[in-house]
Structures are given as C-alpha cells and as structure tokens.
PDB file of all heavy atoms in Angstrom:
ATOM      1  N   GLU A   1       0.821  -1.221   0.000  1.00 97.00           N
ATOM      2  CA  GLU A   1       0.000   0.000   0.000  1.00 97.00           C
ATOM      3  C   GLU A   1       0.853   1.268   0.000  1.00 97.00           C
ATOM      4  O   GLU A   1       0.501   2.264  -0.619  1.00 97.00           O
ATOM      5  CB  GLU A   1      -0.953  -0.001   1.199  1.00 97.00           C
ATOM      6  CG  GLU A   1      -1.940   1.137   1.153  1.00 97.00           C
ATOM      7  CD  GLU A   1      -3.122   0.957   2.088  1.00 97.00           C
ATOM      8  OE1 GLU A   1      -3.485  -0.193   2.405  1.00 97.00           O
ATOM      9  OE2 GLU A   1      -3.691   1.991   2.494  1.00 97.00           O
ATOM     10  N   LEU A   2       1.999   1.221   0.684  1.00 98.00           N
ATOM     11  CA  LEU A   2       2.862   2.401   0.779  1.00 98.00           C
ATOM     12  C   LEU A   2       3.933   2.459  -0.304  1.00 98.00           C
ATOM     13  O   LEU A   2       4.622   3.465  -0.438  1.00 98.00           O
ATOM     14  CB  LEU A   2       3.537   2.446   2.154  1.00 98.00           C
ATOM     15  CG  LEU A   2       2.610   2.682   3.337  1.00 98.00           C
ATOM     16  CD1 LEU A   2       3.387   2.573   4.643  1.00 98.00           C
ATOM     17  CD2 LEU A   2       1.936   4.039   3.230  1.00 98.00           C
ATOM     18  N   GLY A   3       4.114   1.355  -1.032  1.00 98.00           N
ATOM     19  CA  GLY A   3       5.145   1.328  -2.068  1.00 98.00           C
ATOM     20  C   GLY A   3       6.551   1.236  -1.489  1.00 98.00           C
ATOM     21  O   GLY A   3       7.496   1.801  -2.046  1.00 98.00           O
ATOM     22  N   VAL A   4       6.681   0.536  -0.363  1.00 98.00           N
ATOM     23  CA  VAL A   4       7.990   0.325   0.260  1.00 98.00           C
ATOM     24  C   VAL A   4       8.208  -1.187   0.369  1.00 98.00           C
ATOM     25  O   VAL A   4       7.310  -1.978   0.111  1.00 98.00           O
ATOM     26  CB  VAL A   4       8.097   0.987   1.654  1.00 98.00           C
ATOM     27  CG1 VAL A   4       7.893   2.493   1.548  1.00 98.00           C
ATOM     28  CG2 VAL A   4       7.093   0.391   2.637  1.00 98.00           C
ATOM     29  N   SER A   5       9.394  -1.582   0.777  1.00 98.00           N
ATOM     30  CA  SER A   5       9.690  -3.003   0.907  1.00 98.00           C
ATOM     31  C   SER A   5       9.147  -3.558   2.226  1.00 98.00           C
ATOM     32  O   SER A   5       8.921  -2.814   3.184  1.00 98.00           O
ATOM     33  CB  SER A   5      11.200  -3.244   0.843  1.00 98.00           C
ATOM     34  OG  SER A   5      11.822  -2.755   2.015  1.00 98.00           O
ATOM     35  N   THR A   6       8.983  -4.886   2.254  1.00 97.00           N
ATOM     36  CA  THR A   6       8.569  -5.534   3.494  1.00 97.00           C
ATOM     37  C   THR A   6       9.657  -5.372   4.551  1.00 97.00           C
ATOM     38  O   THR A   6       9.354  -5.283   5.738  1.00 97.00           O
ATOM     39  CB  THR A   6       8.270  -7.031   3.276  1.00 97.00           C
ATOM     40  OG1 THR A   6       9.407  -7.659   2.687  1.00 97.00           O
ATOM     41  CG2 THR A   6       7.060  -7.227   2.386  1.00 97.00           C
ATOM     42  N   THR A   7      10.910  -5.296   4.114  1.00 97.00           N
ATOM     43  CA  THR A   7      12.020  -5.084   5.046  1.00 97.00           C
ATOM     44  C   THR A   7      11.878  -3.731   5.742  1.00 97.00           C
ATOM     45  O   THR A   7      12.102  -3.632   6.951  1.00 97.00           O
ATOM     46  CB  THR A   7      13.375  -5.166   4.314  1.00 97.00           C
ATOM     47  OG1 THR A   7      13.480  -6.449   3.695  1.00 97.00           O
ATOM     48  CG2 THR A   7      14.532  -4.954   5.258  1.00 97.00           C
ATOM     49  N   THR A   8      11.497  -2.717   4.997  1.00 98.00           N
ATOM     50  CA  THR A   8      11.305  -1.386   5.578  1.00 98.00           C
ATOM     51  C   THR A   8      10.219  -1.423   6.644  1.00 98.00           C
ATOM     52  O   THR A   8      10.400  -0.903   7.746  1.00 98.00           O
ATOM     53  CB  THR A   8      10.956  -0.355   4.490  1.00 98.00           C
ATOM     54  OG1 THR A   8      12.066  -0.245   3.595  1.00 98.00           O
ATOM     55  CG2 THR A   8      10.640   1.012   5.077  1.00 98.00           C
ATOM     56  N   VAL A   9       9.093  -2.045   6.336  1.00 97.00           N
ATOM     57  CA  VAL A   9       7.990  -2.131   7.306  1.00 97.00           C
ATOM     58  C   VAL A   9       8.444  -2.901   8.541  1.00 97.00           C
ATOM     59  O   VAL A   9       8.217  -2.470   9.674  1.00 97.00           O
ATOM     60  CB  VAL A   9       6.742  -2.781   6.676  1.00 97.00           C
ATOM     61  CG1 VAL A   9       5.636  -2.954   7.716  1.00 97.00           C
ATOM     62  CG2 VAL A   9       6.244  -1.950   5.499  1.00 97.00           C
ATOM     63  N   SER A  10       9.117  -4.031   8.340  1.00 96.00           N
ATOM     64  CA  SER A  10       9.605  -4.832   9.453  1.00 96.00           C
ATOM     65  C   SER A  10      10.579  -4.043  10.319  1.00 96.00           C
ATOM     66  O   SER A  10      10.517  -4.091  11.552  1.00 96.00           O
ATOM     67  CB  SER A  10      10.288  -6.093   8.928  1.00 96.00           C
ATOM     68  OG  SER A  10      10.781  -6.875   9.987  1.00 96.00           O
ATOM     69  N   ASN A  11      11.478  -3.312   9.686  1.00 97.00           N
ATOM     70  CA  ASN A  11      12.441  -2.507  10.435  1.00 97.00           C
ATOM     71  C   ASN A  11      11.754  -1.434  11.268  1.00 97.00           C
ATOM     72  O   ASN A  11      12.149  -1.175  12.409  1.00 97.00           O
ATOM     73  CB  ASN A  11      13.478  -1.889   9.507  1.00 97.00           C
ATOM     74  CG  ASN A  11      14.506  -2.897   9.040  1.00 97.00           C
ATOM     75  OD1 ASN A  11      14.714  -3.933   9.673  1.00 97.00           O
ATOM     76  ND2 ASN A  11      15.158  -2.612   7.935  1.00 97.00           N
ATOM     77  N   VAL A  12      10.720  -0.807  10.735  1.00 97.00           N
ATOM     78  CA  VAL A  12       9.974   0.198  11.495  1.00 97.00           C
ATOM     79  C   VAL A  12       9.298  -0.470  12.700  1.00 97.00           C
ATOM     80  O   VAL A  12       9.375   0.047  13.816  1.00 97.00           O
ATOM     81  CB  VAL A  12       8.928   0.919  10.609  1.00 97.00           C
ATOM     82  CG1 VAL A  12       7.998   1.791  11.458  1.00 97.00           C
ATOM     83  CG2 VAL A  12       9.621   1.767   9.550  1.00 97.00           C
ATOM     84  N   ILE A  13       8.693  -1.623  12.484  1.00 95.00           N
ATOM     85  CA  ILE A  13       8.018  -2.342  13.572  1.00 95.00           C
ATOM     86  C   ILE A  13       8.997  -2.654  14.696  1.00 95.00           C
ATOM     87  O   ILE A  13       8.669  -2.538  15.877  1.00 95.00           O
ATOM     88  CB  ILE A  13       7.369  -3.638  13.051  1.00 95.00           C
ATOM     89  CG1 ILE A  13       6.175  -3.290  12.157  1.00 95.00           C
ATOM     90  CG2 ILE A  13       6.937  -4.553  14.199  1.00 95.00           C
ATOM     91  CD1 ILE A  13       5.626  -4.458  11.368  1.00 95.00           C
ATOM     92  N   HIS A  14      10.234  -3.023  14.324  1.00 94.00           N
ATOM     93  CA  HIS A  14      11.229  -3.422  15.321  1.00 94.00           C
ATOM     94  C   HIS A  14      12.133  -2.273  15.778  1.00 94.00           C
ATOM     95  O   HIS A  14      13.096  -2.497  16.504  1.00 94.00           O
ATOM     96  CB  HIS A  14      12.068  -4.580  14.770  1.00 94.00           C
ATOM     97  CG  HIS A  14      11.264  -5.819  14.589  1.00 94.00           C
ATOM     98  ND1 HIS A  14      10.744  -6.196  13.371  1.00 94.00           N
ATOM     99  CD2 HIS A  14      10.835  -6.739  15.480  1.00 94.00           C
ATOM    100  CE1 HIS A  14      10.054  -7.310  13.526  1.00 94.00           C
ATOM    101  NE2 HIS A  14      10.084  -7.657  14.792  1.00 94.00           N
ATOM    102  N   GLY A  15      11.805  -1.047  15.349  1.00 95.00           N
ATOM    103  CA  GLY A  15      12.544   0.125  15.815  1.00 95.00           C
ATOM    104  C   GLY A  15      13.909   0.316  15.186  1.00 95.00           C
ATOM    105  O   GLY A  15      14.723   1.091  15.678  1.00 95.00           O
ATOM    106  N   LYS A  16      14.166  -0.361  14.083  1.00 96.00           N
ATOM    107  CA  LYS A  16      15.455  -0.238  13.387  1.00 96.00           C
ATOM    108  C   LYS A  16      15.304   0.789  12.269  1.00 96.00           C
ATOM    109  O   LYS A  16      15.222   0.445  11.094  1.00 96.00           O
ATOM    110  CB  LYS A  16      15.882  -1.595  12.826  1.00 96.00           C
ATOM    111  CG  LYS A  16      16.070  -2.643  13.897  1.00 96.00           C
ATOM    112  CD  LYS A  16      16.416  -3.986  13.290  1.00 96.00           C
ATOM    113  CE  LYS A  16      16.536  -5.044  14.371  1.00 96.00           C
ATOM    114  NZ  LYS A  16      16.827  -6.368  13.808  1.00 96.00           N
ATOM    115  N   THR A  17      15.257   2.055  12.658  1.00 96.00           N
ATOM    116  CA  THR A  17      14.897   3.100  11.698  1.00 96.00           C
ATOM    117  C   THR A  17      16.050   4.043  11.338  1.00 96.00           C
ATOM    118  O   THR A  17      15.818   5.069  10.706  1.00 96.00           O
ATOM    119  CB  THR A  17      13.719   3.932  12.250  1.00 96.00           C
ATOM    120  OG1 THR A  17      14.101   4.493  13.512  1.00 96.00           O
ATOM    121  CG2 THR A  17      12.479   3.071  12.442  1.00 96.00           C
ATOM    122  N   LYS A  18      17.261   3.699  11.725  1.00 96.00           N
ATOM    123  CA  LYS A  18      18.406   4.572  11.457  1.00 96.00           C
ATOM    124  C   LYS A  18      18.552   4.936   9.987  1.00 96.00           C
ATOM    125  O   LYS A  18      18.861   6.073   9.653  1.00 96.00           O
ATOM    126  CB  LYS A  18      19.696   3.891  11.912  1.00 96.00           C
ATOM    127  CG  LYS A  18      20.292   4.425  13.160  1.00 96.00           C
ATOM    128  CD  LYS A  18      21.612   3.725  13.440  1.00 96.00           C
ATOM    129  CE  LYS A  18      22.366   4.465  14.510  1.00 96.00           C
ATOM    130  NZ  LYS A  18      23.604   3.800  14.872  1.00 96.00           N
ATOM    131  N   LYS A  19      18.332   3.955   9.101  1.00 95.00           N
ATOM    132  CA  LYS A  19      18.560   4.156   7.669  1.00 95.00           C
ATOM    133  C   LYS A  19      17.277   4.473   6.896  1.00 95.00           C
ATOM    134  O   LYS A  19      17.274   4.456   5.678  1.00 95.00           O
ATOM    135  CB  LYS A  19      19.221   2.913   7.075  1.00 95.00           C
ATOM    136  CG  LYS A  19      20.593   2.647   7.639  1.00 95.00           C
ATOM    137  CD  LYS A  19      21.216   1.412   7.012  1.00 95.00           C
ATOM    138  CE  LYS A  19      22.585   1.155   7.613  1.00 95.00           C
ATOM    139  NZ  LYS A  19      23.223  -0.027   7.028  1.00 95.00           N
ATOM    140  N   ILE A  20      16.188   4.760   7.626  1.00 97.00           N
ATOM    141  CA  ILE A  20      14.900   5.041   6.993  1.00 97.00           C
ATOM    142  C   ILE A  20      14.536   6.494   7.269  1.00 97.00           C
ATOM    143  O   ILE A  20      14.675   6.964   8.396  1.00 97.00           O
ATOM    144  CB  ILE A  20      13.804   4.106   7.547  1.00 97.00           C
ATOM    145  CG1 ILE A  20      14.217   2.644   7.390  1.00 97.00           C
ATOM    146  CG2 ILE A  20      12.475   4.365   6.856  1.00 97.00           C
ATOM    147  CD1 ILE A  20      13.300   1.669   8.098  1.00 97.00           C
ATOM    148  N   SER A  21      14.055   7.185   6.244  1.00 98.00           N
ATOM    149  CA  SER A  21      13.721   8.597   6.431  1.00 98.00           C
ATOM    150  C   SER A  21      12.599   8.749   7.447  1.00 98.00           C
ATOM    151  O   SER A  21      11.738   7.875   7.595  1.00 98.00           O
ATOM    152  CB  SER A  21      13.289   9.230   5.099  1.00 98.00           C
ATOM    153  OG  SER A  21      11.993   8.800   4.732  1.00 98.00           O
ATOM    154  N   ASP A  22      12.620   9.881   8.153  1.00 98.00           N
ATOM    155  CA  ASP A  22      11.591  10.174   9.155  1.00 98.00           C
ATOM    156  C   ASP A  22      10.199  10.145   8.527  1.00 98.00           C
ATOM    157  O   ASP A  22       9.247   9.659   9.131  1.00 98.00           O
ATOM    158  CB  ASP A  22      11.833  11.531   9.809  1.00 98.00           C
ATOM    159  CG  ASP A  22      13.047  11.537  10.719  1.00 98.00           C
ATOM    160  OD1 ASP A  22      13.489  10.449  11.142  1.00 98.00           O
ATOM    161  OD2 ASP A  22      13.564  12.635  11.014  1.00 98.00           O
ATOM    162  N   GLU A  23      10.098  10.654   7.301  1.00 98.00           N
ATOM    163  CA  GLU A  23       8.812  10.695   6.613  1.00 98.00           C
ATOM    164  C   GLU A  23       8.281   9.276   6.370  1.00 98.00           C
ATOM    165  O   GLU A  23       7.103   8.995   6.609  1.00 98.00           O
ATOM    166  CB  GLU A  23       8.940  11.418   5.268  1.00 98.00           C
ATOM    167  CG  GLU A  23       7.644  11.473   4.489  1.00 98.00           C
ATOM    168  CD  GLU A  23       7.799  12.129   3.130  1.00 98.00           C
ATOM    169  OE1 GLU A  23       8.720  12.950   2.957  1.00 98.00           O
ATOM    170  OE2 GLU A  23       6.990  11.811   2.247  1.00 98.00           O
ATOM    171  N   THR A  24       9.149   8.386   5.937  1.00 98.00           N
ATOM    172  CA  THR A  24       8.731   7.001   5.690  1.00 98.00           C
ATOM    173  C   THR A  24       8.336   6.315   6.984  1.00 98.00           C
ATOM    174  O   THR A  24       7.330   5.604   7.036  1.00 98.00           O
ATOM    175  CB  THR A  24       9.845   6.216   4.967  1.00 98.00           C
ATOM    176  OG1 THR A  24      10.102   6.843   3.704  1.00 98.00           O
ATOM    177  CG2 THR A  24       9.457   4.762   4.744  1.00 98.00           C
ATOM    178  N   VAL A  25       9.108   6.523   8.040  1.00 98.00           N
ATOM    179  CA  VAL A  25       8.783   5.935   9.348  1.00 98.00           C
ATOM    180  C   VAL A  25       7.395   6.387   9.782  1.00 98.00           C
ATOM    181  O   VAL A  25       6.566   5.574  10.201  1.00 98.00           O
ATOM    182  CB  VAL A  25       9.842   6.310  10.418  1.00 98.00           C
ATOM    183  CG1 VAL A  25       9.383   5.884  11.809  1.00 98.00           C
ATOM    184  CG2 VAL A  25      11.189   5.687  10.087  1.00 98.00           C
ATOM    185  N   LYS A  26       7.115   7.674   9.646  1.00 98.00           N
ATOM    186  CA  LYS A  26       5.812   8.210  10.052  1.00 98.00           C
ATOM    187  C   LYS A  26       4.687   7.612   9.217  1.00 98.00           C
ATOM    188  O   LYS A  26       3.622   7.286   9.742  1.00 98.00           O
ATOM    189  CB  LYS A  26       5.811   9.733   9.938  1.00 98.00           C
ATOM    190  CG  LYS A  26       6.635  10.408  11.013  1.00 98.00           C
ATOM    191  CD  LYS A  26       6.689  11.903  10.808  1.00 98.00           C
ATOM    192  CE  LYS A  26       7.657  12.538  11.795  1.00 98.00           C
ATOM    193  NZ  LYS A  26       7.855  13.967  11.536  1.00 98.00           N
ATOM    194  N   ARG A  27       4.913   7.465   7.893  1.00 98.00           N
ATOM    195  CA  ARG A  27       3.892   6.896   7.005  1.00 98.00           C
ATOM    196  C   ARG A  27       3.599   5.449   7.384  1.00 98.00           C
ATOM    197  O   ARG A  27       2.441   5.032   7.451  1.00 98.00           O
ATOM    198  CB  ARG A  27       4.346   6.969   5.546  1.00 98.00           C
ATOM    199  CG  ARG A  27       4.342   8.379   4.983  1.00 98.00           C
ATOM    200  CD  ARG A  27       4.937   8.450   3.575  1.00 98.00           C
ATOM    201  NE  ARG A  27       4.298   7.512   2.661  1.00 98.00           N
ATOM    202  CZ  ARG A  27       4.961   6.751   1.783  1.00 98.00           C
ATOM    203  NH1 ARG A  27       6.270   6.803   1.700  1.00 98.00           N
ATOM    204  NH2 ARG A  27       4.311   5.939   0.982  1.00 98.00           N
ATOM    205  N   VAL A  28       4.660   4.675   7.634  1.00 98.00           N
ATOM    206  CA  VAL A  28       4.487   3.267   8.006  1.00 98.00           C
ATOM    207  C   VAL A  28       3.763   3.167   9.345  1.00 98.00           C
ATOM    208  O   VAL A  28       2.788   2.417   9.481  1.00 98.00           O
ATOM    209  CB  VAL A  28       5.847   2.527   8.049  1.00 98.00           C
ATOM    210  CG1 VAL A  28       5.690   1.134   8.644  1.00 98.00           C
ATOM    211  CG2 VAL A  28       6.476   2.448   6.659  1.00 98.00           C
ATOM    212  N   GLN A  29       4.207   3.926  10.340  1.00 97.00           N
ATOM    213  CA  GLN A  29       3.576   3.884  11.665  1.00 97.00           C
ATOM    214  C   GLN A  29       2.105   4.272  11.588  1.00 97.00           C
ATOM    215  O   GLN A  29       1.261   3.647  12.225  1.00 97.00           O
ATOM    216  CB  GLN A  29       4.321   4.793  12.637  1.00 97.00           C
ATOM    217  CG  GLN A  29       5.677   4.263  13.028  1.00 97.00           C
ATOM    218  CD  GLN A  29       6.491   5.241  13.865  1.00 97.00           C
ATOM    219  OE1 GLN A  29       6.306   6.458  13.787  1.00 97.00           O
ATOM    220  NE2 GLN A  29       7.407   4.702  14.655  1.00 97.00           N
ATOM    221  N   ALA A  30       1.806   5.288  10.803  1.00 98.00           N
ATOM    222  CA  ALA A  30       0.421   5.746  10.684  1.00 98.00           C
ATOM    223  C   ALA A  30      -0.460   4.655  10.074  1.00 98.00           C
ATOM    224  O   ALA A  30      -1.576   4.408  10.550  1.00 98.00           O
ATOM    225  CB  ALA A  30       0.359   7.019   9.845  1.00 98.00           C
ATOM    226  N   LEU A  31       0.031   3.996   9.025  1.00 98.00           N
ATOM    227  CA  LEU A  31      -0.773   2.958   8.384  1.00 98.00           C
ATOM    228  C   LEU A  31      -0.895   1.719   9.275  1.00 98.00           C
ATOM    229  O   LEU A  31      -1.947   1.082   9.316  1.00 98.00           O
ATOM    230  CB  LEU A  31      -0.198   2.585   7.021  1.00 98.00           C
ATOM    231  CG  LEU A  31      -1.110   1.725   6.136  1.00 98.00           C
ATOM    232  CD1 LEU A  31      -2.462   2.397   5.912  1.00 98.00           C
ATOM    233  CD2 LEU A  31      -0.442   1.432   4.802  1.00 98.00           C
ATOM    234  N   LEU A  32       0.166   1.393  10.007  1.00 97.00           N
ATOM    235  CA  LEU A  32       0.087   0.270  10.958  1.00 97.00           C
ATOM    236  C   LEU A  32      -1.015   0.522  11.979  1.00 97.00           C
ATOM    237  O   LEU A  32      -1.796  -0.378  12.307  1.00 97.00           O
ATOM    238  CB  LEU A  32       1.432   0.068  11.671  1.00 97.00           C
ATOM    239  CG  LEU A  32       2.562  -0.524  10.829  1.00 97.00           C
ATOM    240  CD1 LEU A  32       3.893  -0.386  11.564  1.00 97.00           C
ATOM    241  CD2 LEU A  32       2.287  -1.966  10.476  1.00 97.00           C
ATOM    242  N   GLU A  33      -1.081   1.741  12.485  1.00 96.00           N
ATOM    243  CA  GLU A  33      -2.118   2.094  13.461  1.00 96.00           C
ATOM    244  C   GLU A  33      -3.500   2.090  12.816  1.00 96.00           C
ATOM    245  O   GLU A  33      -4.458   1.560  13.378  1.00 96.00           O
ATOM    246  CB  GLU A  33      -1.825   3.458  14.065  1.00 96.00           C
ATOM    247  CG  GLU A  33      -0.663   3.439  15.043  1.00 96.00           C
ATOM    248  CD  GLU A  33      -0.397   4.802  15.658  1.00 96.00           C
ATOM    249  OE1 GLU A  33      -1.364   5.577  15.836  1.00 96.00           O
ATOM    250  OE2 GLU A  33       0.771   5.089  15.955  1.00 96.00           O
ATOM    251  N   GLU A  34      -3.589   2.688  11.635  1.00 96.00           N
ATOM    252  CA  GLU A  34      -4.872   2.778  10.932  1.00 96.00           C
ATOM    253  C   GLU A  34      -5.445   1.387  10.644  1.00 96.00           C
ATOM    254  O   GLU A  34      -6.643   1.150  10.813  1.00 96.00           O
ATOM    255  CB  GLU A  34      -4.690   3.531   9.617  1.00 96.00           C
ATOM    256  CG  GLU A  34      -5.943   3.647   8.783  1.00 96.00           C
ATOM    257  CD  GLU A  34      -5.677   4.275   7.433  1.00 96.00           C
ATOM    258  OE1 GLU A  34      -4.849   5.213   7.358  1.00 96.00           O
ATOM    259  OE2 GLU A  34      -6.295   3.821   6.452  1.00 96.00           O
ATOM    260  N   LYS A  35      -4.577   0.473  10.227  1.00 95.00           N
ATOM    261  CA  LYS A  35      -5.019  -0.883   9.880  1.00 95.00           C
ATOM    262  C   LYS A  35      -5.069  -1.809  11.090  1.00 95.00           C
ATOM    263  O   LYS A  35      -5.430  -2.970  10.965  1.00 95.00           O
ATOM    264  CB  LYS A  35      -4.070  -1.491   8.834  1.00 95.00           C
ATOM    265  CG  LYS A  35      -3.993  -0.727   7.540  1.00 95.00           C
ATOM    266  CD  LYS A  35      -5.246  -0.914   6.731  1.00 95.00           C
ATOM    267  CE  LYS A  35      -5.079  -0.250   5.364  1.00 95.00           C
ATOM    268  NZ  LYS A  35      -6.257  -0.437   4.531  1.00 95.00           N
ATOM    269  N   LYS A  36      -4.690  -1.279  12.262  1.00 93.00           N
ATOM    270  CA  LYS A  36      -4.683  -2.051  13.511  1.00 93.00           C
ATOM    271  C   LYS A  36      -3.829  -3.313  13.373  1.00 93.00           C
ATOM    272  O   LYS A  36      -4.264  -4.423  13.703  1.00 93.00           O
ATOM    273  CB  LYS A  36      -6.104  -2.386  13.948  1.00 93.00           C
ATOM    274  CG  LYS A  36      -6.919  -1.141  14.276  1.00 93.00           C
ATOM    275  CD  LYS A  36      -8.331  -1.512  14.665  1.00 93.00           C
ATOM    276  CE  LYS A  36      -9.134  -0.339  15.142  1.00 93.00           C
ATOM    277  NZ  LYS A  36      -9.371   0.706  14.220  1.00 93.00           N
ATOM    278  N   TYR A  37      -2.601  -3.125  12.898  1.00 93.00           N
ATOM    279  CA  TYR A  37      -1.677  -4.244  12.705  1.00 93.00           C
ATOM    280  C   TYR A  37      -1.356  -4.913  14.037  1.00 93.00           C
ATOM    281  O   TYR A  37      -1.048  -4.252  15.020  1.00 93.00           O
ATOM    282  CB  TYR A  37      -0.374  -3.759  12.062  1.00 93.00           C
ATOM    283  CG  TYR A  37       0.681  -4.839  11.983  1.00 93.00           C
ATOM    284  CD1 TYR A  37       0.611  -5.823  11.016  1.00 93.00           C
ATOM    285  CD2 TYR A  37       1.710  -4.887  12.913  1.00 93.00           C
ATOM    286  CE1 TYR A  37       1.560  -6.829  10.954  1.00 93.00           C
ATOM    287  CE2 TYR A  37       2.671  -5.902  12.857  1.00 93.00           C
ATOM    288  CZ  TYR A  37       2.577  -6.856  11.877  1.00 93.00           C
ATOM    289  OH  TYR A  37       3.516  -7.856  11.835  1.00 93.00           O
ATOM    290  N   ILE A  38      -1.459  -6.233  14.076  1.00 89.00           N
ATOM    291  CA  ILE A  38      -1.114  -7.023  15.257  1.00 89.00           C
ATOM    292  C   ILE A  38      -0.052  -8.026  14.825  1.00 89.00           C
ATOM    293  O   ILE A  38      -0.291  -8.824  13.908  1.00 89.00           O
ATOM    294  CB  ILE A  38      -2.336  -7.781  15.814  1.00 89.00           C
ATOM    295  CG1 ILE A  38      -3.428  -6.788  16.220  1.00 89.00           C
ATOM    296  CG2 ILE A  38      -1.936  -8.668  16.987  1.00 89.00           C
ATOM    297  CD1 ILE A  38      -4.750  -7.428  16.548  1.00 89.00           C
ATOM    298  N   PRO A  39       1.127  -8.005  15.464  1.00 85.00           N
ATOM    299  CA  PRO A  39       2.179  -8.957  15.083  1.00 85.00           C
ATOM    300  C   PRO A  39       1.726 -10.401  15.284  1.00 85.00           C
ATOM    301  O   PRO A  39       0.975 -10.702  16.208  1.00 85.00           O
ATOM    302  CB  PRO A  39       3.331  -8.637  16.043  1.00 85.00           C
ATOM    303  CG  PRO A  39       3.037  -7.280  16.574  1.00 85.00           C
ATOM    304  CD  PRO A  39       1.545  -7.116  16.536  1.00 85.00           C
ATOM    305  N   ASN A  40       2.181 -11.269  14.400  1.00 77.00           N
ATOM    306  CA  ASN A  40       1.901 -12.701  14.499  1.00 77.00           C
ATOM    307  C   ASN A  40       2.831 -13.286  15.548  1.00 77.00           C
ATOM    308  O   ASN A  40       4.035 -13.376  15.348  1.00 77.00           O
ATOM    309  CB  ASN A  40       2.136 -13.354  13.133  1.00 77.00           C
ATOM    310  CG  ASN A  40       1.875 -14.828  13.148  1.00 77.00           C
ATOM    311  OD1 ASN A  40       1.906 -15.479  14.189  1.00 77.00           O
ATOM    312  ND2 ASN A  40       1.632 -15.378  11.970  1.00 77.00           N
ATOM    313  N   MET A  41       2.283 -13.684  16.679  1.00 71.00           N
ATOM    314  CA  MET A  41       3.103 -14.180  17.787  1.00 71.00           C
ATOM    315  C   MET A  41       3.859 -15.451  17.415  1.00 71.00           C
ATOM    316  O   MET A  41       4.956 -15.691  17.903  1.00 71.00           O
ATOM    317  CB  MET A  41       2.241 -14.419  19.026  1.00 71.00           C
ATOM    318  CG  MET A  41       1.619 -13.142  19.579  1.00 71.00           C
ATOM    319  SD  MET A  41       2.786 -11.791  19.827  1.00 71.00           S
ATOM    320  CE  MET A  41       3.649 -12.364  21.256  1.00 71.00           C
ATOM    321  N   ALA A  42       3.314 -16.271  16.542  1.00 64.00           N
ATOM    322  CA  ALA A  42       4.006 -17.491  16.111  1.00 64.00           C
ATOM    323  C   ALA A  42       5.297 -17.117  15.395  1.00 64.00           C
ATOM    324  O   ALA A  42       6.329 -17.760  15.572  1.00 64.00           O
ATOM    325  CB  ALA A  42       3.109 -18.321  15.201  1.00 64.00           C
ATOM    326  N   GLY A  43       5.247 -16.080  14.601  1.00 58.00           N
ATOM    327  CA  GLY A  43       6.441 -15.627  13.895  1.00 58.00           C
ATOM    328  C   GLY A  43       7.481 -15.049  14.836  1.00 58.00           C
ATOM    329  O   GLY A  43       8.683 -15.252  14.657  1.00 58.00           O
ATOM    330  N   ILE A  44       7.038 -14.350  15.852  1.00 52.00           N
ATOM    331  CA  ILE A  44       7.957 -13.764  16.821  1.00 52.00           C
ATOM    332  C   ILE A  44       8.656 -14.865  17.604  1.00 52.00           C
ATOM    333  O   ILE A  44       9.861 -14.853  17.784  1.00 52.00           O
ATOM    334  CB  ILE A  44       7.208 -12.808  17.780  1.00 52.00           C
ATOM    335  CG1 ILE A  44       6.749 -11.571  17.011  1.00 52.00           C
ATOM    336  CG2 ILE A  44       8.082 -12.423  18.964  1.00 52.00           C
ATOM    337  CD1 ILE A  44       5.818 -10.668  17.776  1.00 52.00           C
ATOM    338  N   HIS A  45       7.893 -15.867  18.037  1.00 49.00           N
ATOM    339  CA  HIS A  45       8.473 -16.953  18.820  1.00 49.00           C
ATOM    340  C   HIS A  45       9.397 -17.826  17.985  1.00 49.00           C
ATOM    341  O   HIS A  45      10.342 -18.400  18.508  1.00 49.00           O
ATOM    342  CB  HIS A  45       7.378 -17.790  19.478  1.00 49.00           C
ATOM    343  CG  HIS A  45       6.640 -17.048  20.541  1.00 49.00           C
ATOM    344  ND1 HIS A  45       7.267 -16.532  21.647  1.00 49.00           N
ATOM    345  CD2 HIS A  45       5.341 -16.697  20.656  1.00 49.00           C
ATOM    346  CE1 HIS A  45       6.386 -15.907  22.409  1.00 49.00           C
ATOM    347  NE2 HIS A  45       5.208 -15.993  21.822  1.00 49.00           N
TER     348      HIS A  45
END
C-alpha cells in the first residue's frame, strides 16, 4: 500500500529506523495504526 519493501515495514516495527527517512517511518507507523496491525506471535516466537 505504501510502495515500500517488506524489510522497511519490518524494520519500522522493530525500531530499526536509522537508515529510513523520518517521513517514511511516520507513514508506516500511521498505516500500521490505521489498519490495527497485530504482530503474528508465532512468527515472533
């Protein structure tokens, strides 16, 4: 939806945003909240 890579979204979720522009981080965070993203606990474990 945002036209970014899955790696970018994953990095924002995990707080690894050093190499990602502030604007992109904000866009990803906003859409995660809007869509009510819930991490898959099976994947985390």
